[in-house]
């Protein structure tokens, strides 16, 4: 177990080498949020730096740096301060976030900013303990990153990159999400910043080293600033025992936490054996019925499409989508009751839903003598769209539904439509490696919260706040008439 502790006798040398390397690469990737720490900054200026780092850290969750940079620049141009963000609304925020994914992050940023302005005098907390306790969406990693970088507080970070780097540095081959494993890695991260005058730079250096040098595959060990002290690298150089000197370890010295290294000739002796590999949990598969509902004038001079705004919590929070029946069973999807399902869906959408419902098996328009009556004129299967989230594999089964009649304007939607758009299942929000479970509890027959429906002209659909999966649905449907 002593192998898995950062040696106090070496830490000063390790930090010196790490910081010397970081000072050379600090500006290489052009991250606009990465600035040199300035001890002369006053209270307001440090709080502003905390805001900038906070935005970058939330954007960087599950997202690559190269993707985040343009989003960050647009965000800061629109919301240069936390007060500017707090004064905004979810539609504007989601519009800036569009395409970045994990949309609940944007909603949490807005709510957190409003809380900071209302309850914390417009400034983010200046210590990690309060940051984690008082700011929604901020876990231990994010709190450590923000407060070490903006406030120079000596608190550690442990994101995926640092987790991998320290697992190799300490030759720790144990279940990566186990409590003992995480305790050891957090202790190692703490040793790096403890009593340091540059904790923010050390944390950023560890993250940068893990991202660019100590990579998942093909790590550049020969160019690593701390490889001389890395236990995994020492083993590749011929010292295979726990004592690091090539001697066979006594049974009393064997680690009771580490799992045996896999017997794989191709990987034998490689640092990529660390951290321990675990089988990835298979994504849950779900089938959604998506209805691209269009209303058009009889002369086709106007074409409108109805969109429904999702609830503020859960998957794709606050975004718009086409009316959807989510997580239907395979038997229901294969049944002949889909006209009945759509009929019920339309009844929830409109104040005066279509009174006539006929489906032509050849996807032809239904003849109806009552031309002034709102009616379903056509239903046409579009196809399937597969969209994968971190924990759900969605298959969107799309159909194009055309409504005609009912007057010179699209039929009036319900002010609030209780649509079954969100599965009543457990949603997992992730901040670095800190997981907190949020359960969406919906009442039978609909969501726990309601979603407003609205008509959007044909040429404005793509500019609304819709997610990537919905955009795929839209483009597949558009291909039918284009």
């Amino acid at each position: 177990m002593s192998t898995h502790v950062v040696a106090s006798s070496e830490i000063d040398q390790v930090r010196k080498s790490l910081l010397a390397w970081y000072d050379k690469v600090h500006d290489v990737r052009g991250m606009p949020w990465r600035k040199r720490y300035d001890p002369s900054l006053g209270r307001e200026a440090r709080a502003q730096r905390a805001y900038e780092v906070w935005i970058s850290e939330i954007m960087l969750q599950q997202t690559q740096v190269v993707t985040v940079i343009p989003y960050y620049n647009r965000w800061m141009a629109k919301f240069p301060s936390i007060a500017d963000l707090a004064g905004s609304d979810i539609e504007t925020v989601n519009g800036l976030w569009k395409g970045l994914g994990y949309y609940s992050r944007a909603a949490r940023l807005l709510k957190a900013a409003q809380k900071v302005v209302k309850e914390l005098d417009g400034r983010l907390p200046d210590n990690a303990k309060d940051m984690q306790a008082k700011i929604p969406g901020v876990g231990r990693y994010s709190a450590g990153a923000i407060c070490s970088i903006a406030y120079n507080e000596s608190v550690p970070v442990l994101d995926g990159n640092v987790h991998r780097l320290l697992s190799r540095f300490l030759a720790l081959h144990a279940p990566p999400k186990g409590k003992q494993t995480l305790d050891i890695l957090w202790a190692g991260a703490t040793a790096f910043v403890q009593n340091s005058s540059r904790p923010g730079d050390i944390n950023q250096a560890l993250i940068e080293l893990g991202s660019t040098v100590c990579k998942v595959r093909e790590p550049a060990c020969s160019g690593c600033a701390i490889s001389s002290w890395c236990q995994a690298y020492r083993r590749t150089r011929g010292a295979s025992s726990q004592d690091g000197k090539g001697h066979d370890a006594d049974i009393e010295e064997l680690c009771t936490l580490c799992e045996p290294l896999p017997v794989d000739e191709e990987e034998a002796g490689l640092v990529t054996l660390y951290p321990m590999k675990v089988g990835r949990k298979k994504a849950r598969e779900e089938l959604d019925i998506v209805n691209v509902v269009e209303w058009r004038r009889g002369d086709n001079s106007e074409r409108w499409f109805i969109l429904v705004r999702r609830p503020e919590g859960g998957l794709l929070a606050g975004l718009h989508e086409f009316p959807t029946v989510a997580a239907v069973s395979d038997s229901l999807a294969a049944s002949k009751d889909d006209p009945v399902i759509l009929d019920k869906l339309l009844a929830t959408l409109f104040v005066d839903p279509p009174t006539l419902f006929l489906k032509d098996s050849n996807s032809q328009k239904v003849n109806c003598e009552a031309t002034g009556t709102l009616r379903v004129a056509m239903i046409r299967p579009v196809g399937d769209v597969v969209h994968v989230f971190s924990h759900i594999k969605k298959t969107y089964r799309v159909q194009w539904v055309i409504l005609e009649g009912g007057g010179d304007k699209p039929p009036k939607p319900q002010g609030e439509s209780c649509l079954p758009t969100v599965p009543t299942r457990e949603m997992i929000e992730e901040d670095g490696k800190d997981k907190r479970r949020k359960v969406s509890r919906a009442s039978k027959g609909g969501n726990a919260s309601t979603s407003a429906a609205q008509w959007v002209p044909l040429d404005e659909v793509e500019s609304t706040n819709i997610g990537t999966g919905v955009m795929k649905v839209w483009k597949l449907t558009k291909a039918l008439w284009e």
Side-chain angles (χ1 to χ4, degrees):
M1 292 292 289
S2 61
T3 305
H4 308 318
V5 177
V6 177
S8 58
S9 61
E10 298 178 338
I11 190 60
D12 288 341
Q13 291 177 285
V14 176
R15 283 197 291 229
K16 182 178 179 180
S17 180
L18 180 66
L19 288 172
W21 171 82
Y22 179 67
D23 287 339
K24 295 177 182 178
V25 302
H26 181 278
D27 301 319
V28 169
R29 290 204 282 171
M31 302 180 202
W33 54 85
R34 182 175 282 177
K35 301 176 182 178
R36 305 283 180 179
Y37 175 71
D38 184 354
S40 68
L41 293 179
R43 185 182 183 191
E44 293 296 334
R46 290 192 183 192
Q48 175 62 23
R49 277 294 293 136
Y51 168 67
E52 296 167 0
V53 177
W54 174 49
I55 298 301
S56 70
E57 287 297 332
I58 300 303
M59 285 187 170
L60 285 166
Q61 291 173 6
Q62 307 293 319
T63 312
Q64 294 182 342
V65 167
V66 67
T67 301
V68 167
I69 288 175
Y71 279 92
Y72 176 85
N73 287 333
R74 288 193 292 269
W75 183 282
M76 297 309 297
K78 182 70 175 178
F79 307 127
S81 72
I82 200 166
D84 294 312
L85 172 57
S88 187
D89 57 79
I90 190 62
E91 285 295 307
T92 303
V93 168
N94 278 339
L96 281 176
W97 202 272
K98 186 177 179 180
L100 196 56
Y102 297 92
Y103 291 89
S104 59
R105 295 181 294 174
R108 285 199 302 272
L109 281 172
L110 176 59
K111 290 181 179 179
Q114 292 169 342
K115 179 180 180 180
V116 169
V117 169
K118 183 178 180 180
E119 301 177 13
L120 302 176
D121 200 27
R123 289 186 290 268
L124 287 165
D126 62 1
N127 64 88
K129 182 179 179 180
D130 287 343
M131 184 76 73
Q132 186 175 349
K134 297 180 180 181
I135 306 302
V138 171
R140 186 177 179 182
Y141 161 75
S142 294
I146 297 166
C147 291
S148 65
I149 296 170
Y151 299 120
N152 209 41
E153 184 183 10
S154 293
V155 284
V157 298
L158 189 69
D159 71 342
N161 290 314
V162 180
H163 186 292
R164 179 176 59 256
L165 184 150
L166 290 181
S167 294
R168 293 169 178 173
F169 188 81
L170 302 173
L172 184 62
H173 191 262
K177 297 180 181 179
K179 183 182 183 305
Q180 285 182 285
T181 303
L182 293 174
D183 286 346
I184 288 172
L185 295 177
W186 275 111
T190 301
F192 269 84
V193 296
Q194 201 166 36
N195 301 320
S196 169
S197 61
R198 298 175 60 185
D201 285 343
I202 288 174
N203 283 336
Q204 290 181 93
L206 290 171
I207 295 169
E208 186 75 3
L209 193 68
S211 176
T212 62
V213 177
C214 193
K215 297 181 289 187
V216 177
R217 289 175 288 275
E218 299 182 0
C221 295
S222 60
C224 177
I226 61 174
S227 61
S228 298
W229 301 274
C230 176
Q231 295 288 344
Y233 185 63
R234 284 175 175 176
R235 294 186 177 202
T236 70
R237 310 292 287 179
S240 60
S241 71
Q242 289 288 341
D243 63 11
K245 300 177 182 178
H247 302 149
D248 292 334
D250 293 333
I251 190 67
E252 293 86 354
E253 296 172 344
L254 295 179
C255 179
T256 57
L257 174 61
C258 286
E259 299 284 347
L261 294 175
V263 180
D264 188 332
E265 292 184 2
E266 293 183 1
E267 278 202 302
L270 298 181
V271 299
T272 48
L273 288 171
Y274 305 89
M276 178 182 170
K277 310 297 188 296
V278 292
R280 182 178 292 237
K281 185 178 180 180
K282 186 178 180 181
R284 183 172 78 243
E285 296 189 11
E286 293 181 351
L287 175 65
D288 291 3
I289 306 300
V290 180
N291 301 276
V292 181
V293 179
E294 174 186 355
W295 178 88
R296 59 173 64 171
R297 286 181 182 271
D299 58 2
N300 291 340
S301 60
E302 290 186 27
R303 300 179 65 183
W304 295 76
F305 293 82
I306 198 162
L307 291 172
V308 179
R309 184 174 168 185
R310 294 179 64 87
E312 292 301 327
L315 193 67
L316 301 174
L319 295 185
H320 297 277
E321 66 179 4
F322 298 107
T324 299
V325 182
V328 302
S329 65
D330 292 337
S331 59
L332 181 62
S335 73
K336 300 298 183 181
D337 293 333
D338 52 325
V340 177
I341 297 170
L342 179 58
D343 201 21
K344 291 180 179 180
L345 183 68
L346 295 175
T348 69
L349 279 172
F350 305 115
V351 174
D352 296 310
T355 56
L356 178 65
F357 187 90
L358 294 172
K359 179 182 177 182
D360 188 323
S361 60
N362 295 320
S363 298
Q364 298 298 316
K365 286 187 177 182
V366 176
N367 294 320
C368 179
E369 295 181 359
T371 55
T373 304
L374 179 65
R375 63 194 180 279
V376 176
M378 187 188 81
I379 303 173
R380 181 172 176 180
V382 176
D384 288 357
V385 170
V386 177
H387 190 66
V388 180
F389 299 91
S390 60
H391 56 296
I392 305 175
K393 180 181 180 181
K394 285 277 192 182
T395 297
Y396 297 126
R397 187 149 295 162
V398 188
Q399 59 184 10
W400 177 24
V401 180
I402 296 180
L403 306 181
E404 291 182 350
D408 294 331
K409 296 181 179 179
K412 183 179 179 180
Q414 299 275 8
E416 296 290 327
S417 302
C418 292
L419 300 178
T421 56
V422 179
T424 59
R425 304 231 187 148
E426 196 170 71
M427 299 298 180
I428 297 178
E429 302 292 347
E430 187 171 45
D431 171 25
K433 292 298 177 181
D434 294 344
K435 293 187 176 179
R436 294 168 305 285
R437 297 181 176 222
K438 291 186 177 180
V439 181
S440 173
R441 303 190 181 279
S443 58
K444 292 182 179 180
N447 292 322
S449 58
T450 55
S451 306
Q454 63 180 23
W455 287 103
V456 179
L458 168 65
D459 58 356
E460 294 181 14
V461 173
E462 293 187 21
S463 62
T464 57
N465 291 331
I466 58 178
T468 306
V470 178
M471 183 64 77
K472 292 177 183 177
V473 167
W474 174 242
K475 290 183 176 180
L476 185 66
T477 307
K478 278 179 62 180
L480 296 180
W481 66 74
E482 289 185 342

